Amino acid sequence: MNFWSSYVHYDAQAVVSNVNDATKLAIVSEGQEPWSVLLEQGNLQLVKGQTYQLTFKASSTVARPLEVTVENAAYTRYFSEIFELGTEEKTYQFDFTLGQDDTAGLKFLLGKAAGSPFAAPDVTIDDVKLELK
């Protein structure tokens, strides 16, 4: 989890750990906002006009939505995708092009989502890569 941080808002309850070199988020209570439970890598220097490719593996013990974003400190989003996370590990890949130079953070939002509440899922995220395409 080098260069990664996690956040669990006061209205949520989750334990974030490293299991077999993957990040596991054991979510007991997801809170009231999508960002109530999140995993983030910040201080990414992104360049206008460049196309980036985001790739990662993820799974959940309970099927549920996952939102992934790239946004700056003012919450301006350069990329945002919500998709259904299943119980089998799957590789996800997304491309986006930046509209301006900026310092941004890559965030996995695991708080409240469509269909909430969920039955205490354990979400695993692994092999995250954000690179030029």
Side-chain angles (χ1 to χ4, degrees):
M1 290 183 57
N2 292 341
F3 308 108
W4 288 90
S5 62
S6 60
Y7 174 76
V8 180
H9 195 58
Y10 74 87
D11 65 353
Q13 186 180 1
V15 175
V16 181
S17 59
N18 187 325
V19 177
N20 298 324
D21 292 325
T23 300
K24 177 182 172 184
L25 298 101
I27 304 166
V28 177
S29 172
E30 64 213 14
Q32 297 300 311
E33 302 293 339
W35 46 262
S36 289
V37 177
L38 70 82
L39 181 67
E40 174 183 18
Q41 185 173 40
N43 294 321
L44 302 172
Q45 302 297 315
L46 303 179
V47 179
K48 177 182 180 177
Q50 295 290 336
T51 298
Y52 292 89
Q53 185 169 76
L54 171 63
T55 308
F56 58 92
K57 294 177 184 175
S59 65
S60 176
T61 55
V62 174
R64 59 152 299 151
L66 169 67
E67 183 173 8
V68 61
T69 68
V70 174
E71 59 188 43
N72 67 14
Y75 304 108
T76 299
R77 288 190 173 179
Y78 299 112
F79 170 77
S80 179
E81 188 74 34
I82 299 173
F83 58 93
E84 190 68 20
L85 188 58
T87 57
E88 297 293 322
E89 182 180 76
K90 182 178 172 184
T91 299
Y92 298 89
Q93 182 174 301
F94 304 101
D95 295 344
F96 65 95
T97 302
L98 214 65
Q100 66 185 46
D101 292 345
D102 207 344
T103 301
L106 168 61
K107 298 178 181 180
F108 293 92
L109 307 177
L110 294 155
K112 186 175 183 175
S116 290
F118 301 99
D122 289 349
V123 175
T124 302
I125 299 173
D126 196 11
D127 293 335
V128 179
K129 295 177 189 166
L130 180 61
E131 52 196 3
L132 287 173
K133 184 169 181 183

